[in-house]
């Protein structure tokens, strides 16, 4: 257990060191990949919002376009069953 | 690929020129759109048989705008692992709004369980048409949408399809002579990762239409429709899949009478079906549908009324 202790610490330090080294060299590529991540997240967010907007708003949109077409129908005609 | 989505059939004017002795190769008619290749055969062989009660009421508010109310009650099939089909009785009401203009068509249908079914067709220029078809549900990851961009040239049509979950397809069909048109399609699906290519040919005359389609997914479809008279046409169809070795042949008929339309077919899988649409009076149509599957012992009967 005591022998394993310093081994673990050495391994951790090596890992940290190598990570630090690789981080410095690949910082430019990580910034490019983070830009892709940002764009991907932004498109996912906008597609989700577009899906919700279509889900709630498409039928009202069609009704608004239809009620404004000519000859303009009455509101009563929209709501009554005959 | 063409059977993943029902075809958006827009009102097409058949510009079939009469056959002269000499074919004018520089002035060939525009071909049928690629997804409507099998249109005449599927009118008799793939009629929409339904089960249960169906009531459709369409109320036109003016020339362009109409609302539709639709009630459907009956068993719906639930996909199950076992060979038996499991049916669950359901009832739903669907409200729809339609807007038709020469350059823009918008159809939206919403059901009581929150599912929205939307279709859009817009003519951006007189050669470029955009079509979109979407089904949106409340459950996550079950919605899908598909966008098609169609370009209509003088004697060819090209289409690009984009769908959600990374689906890309392209089709192209060209009139080779007055009667023969050849086409092909390519698609790539992200999930599951597969791509495919297919070819199709269609030969038509005033009295008959013959089409054939091959795809790299293994499906081969060939059909032949003969128009016996103005009122009667007969169709026959042969489908096989060379990977799964599934073969189906069917024969069907389509009688268009003055007050009724009767369509029926019989299949090599032991399925016989018929659909009768009768016009009781102006705007009132009565529907009767029957589908008997003798192999699976599944019998479906439906009746309905369409108003407006």
């Amino acid at each position: 257990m005591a022998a394993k202790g310093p081994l673990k610490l050495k391994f951790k330090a090596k890992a940290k060191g190598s990570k630090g080294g690789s981080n410095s060299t690949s910082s430019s590529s990580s910034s490019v990949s983070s830009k892709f991540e940002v764009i991907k997240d932004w498109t996912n967010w906008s597609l989700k919002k577009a899906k919700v907007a279509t889900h709630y708003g498409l039928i009202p949109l069609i009704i608004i376009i239809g009620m404004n077409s000519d000859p303009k129908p009455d509101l009563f005609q929209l709501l009554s069953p005959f | 690929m063409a059977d993943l989505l029902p075809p958006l059939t827009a009102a097409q004017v058949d510009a079939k020129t009469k056959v002269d002795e000499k074919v004018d190769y520089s002035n060939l008619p525009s071909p049928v759109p690629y997804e409507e290749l099998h249109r005449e055969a599927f009118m008799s062989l793939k009629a929409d048989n339904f089960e249960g009660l169906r009531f459709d009421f369409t109320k036109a508010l003016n020339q362009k705008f109409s609302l539709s109310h639709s009630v459907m009650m009956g068993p719906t099939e639930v996909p199950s692992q076992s060979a038996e089909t499991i049916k669950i009785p359901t009832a739903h009401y669907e409200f729809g709004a339609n807007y038709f203009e020469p350059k823009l068509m918008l159809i939206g249908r919403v059901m009581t369980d929150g599912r929205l079914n939307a279709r859009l067709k817009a003519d951006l220029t007189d050669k470029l048409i955009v079509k979109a078809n979407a089904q949106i549900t409340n459950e996550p990851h079950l919605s899908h949408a598909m966008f098609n961009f169609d370009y209509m040239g003088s004697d060819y049509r090209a289409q690009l399809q984009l769908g959600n979950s990374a689906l890309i397809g392209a089709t192209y069909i060209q009139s080779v002579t007055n009667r023969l048109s050849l086409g092909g399609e390519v698609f790539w699906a992200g999930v599951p990762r597969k791509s495919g290519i297919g070819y199709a040919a269609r030969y038509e005359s005033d009295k008959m239409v013959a089409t054939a389609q091959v795809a790299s997914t293994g499906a081969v479809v060939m059909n032949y429709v003969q128009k016996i008279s103005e009122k009667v046409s007969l169709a026959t169809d042969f489908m096989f899949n060379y990977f799964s070795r599934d073969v189906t042949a069917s024969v069907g008929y389509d009688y268009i009478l003055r007050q009724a339309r009767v369509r029926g077919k019989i299949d090599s899988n032991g399925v016989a079906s018929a659909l009768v649409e009768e016009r009781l009076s102006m705007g009132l149509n009565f529907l009767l549908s029957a589908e008997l599957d003798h192999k699976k012992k599944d019998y479906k009967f439906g009746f309905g009324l369409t108003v407006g």
Side-chain angles (χ1 to χ4, degrees), chain A residues 50-52 54-56 58-59 61-67 69-74 76-82, chain B residues 57 59 61-62 64-65 67 95-99 106-110 114-116 118 136-140 143:
Chain A
K51 178 190 149 190
V52 174
T54 314
H55 201 166
Y56 284 108
L58 187 83
I59 301 268
L61 174 76
I62 300 180
I63 291 179
I64 289 174
I65 294 179
M67 293 300 276
S69 66
D70 68 340
K72 206 164 150 137
D74 275 340
F76 176 71
Q77 275 183 311
L78 180 72
L79 298 173
S80 85
F82 52 84
Chain B
F57 173 54
K59 181 171 163 203
L61 273 75
N62 64 18
K64 305 179 187 174
F65 178 50
L67 297 175
F95 173 71
N98 320 320
Y99 181 72
L106 275 172
I107 294 180
R109 299 254 180 284
V110 65
R115 268 188 289 166
L116 174 76
I136 302 183
T137 60
N138 276 327
E139 294 134 34
S143 322

Side-chain angles (χ1 to χ4, degrees), chain B residues 213-233:
Chain B
Q213 189 173 13
V214 186
S216 72
T217 52
V220 174
V221 177
M222 292 186 276
N223 50 47
Y224 178 78
V225 179
Q226 174 87 25
K227 192 169 161 189
I228 309 276
S229 78
E230 283 298 325
K231 299 186 174 183
V232 179
S233 52

Side-chain angles (χ1 to χ4, degrees), chain B residues 64-113:
Chain B
K64 305 179 187 174
F65 178 50
S66 58
L67 297 175
S68 84
H69 306 266
S70 203
V71 174
M72 278 173 281
M73 295 183 206
T76 27
E77 279 183 19
V78 168
S80 76
Q81 309 320 82
S82 65
E84 297 212 345
T85 45
I86 298 181
K87 292 194 192 179
I88 296 182
T90 53
H92 40 238
Y93 164 73
E94 188 181 63
F95 173 71
N98 320 320
Y99 181 72
F100 295 105
E101 211 186 36
K103 296 225 169 206
L104 174 69
M105 176 187 93
L106 275 172
I107 294 180
R109 299 254 180 284
V110 65
M111 287 209 193
T112 45
D113 52 4

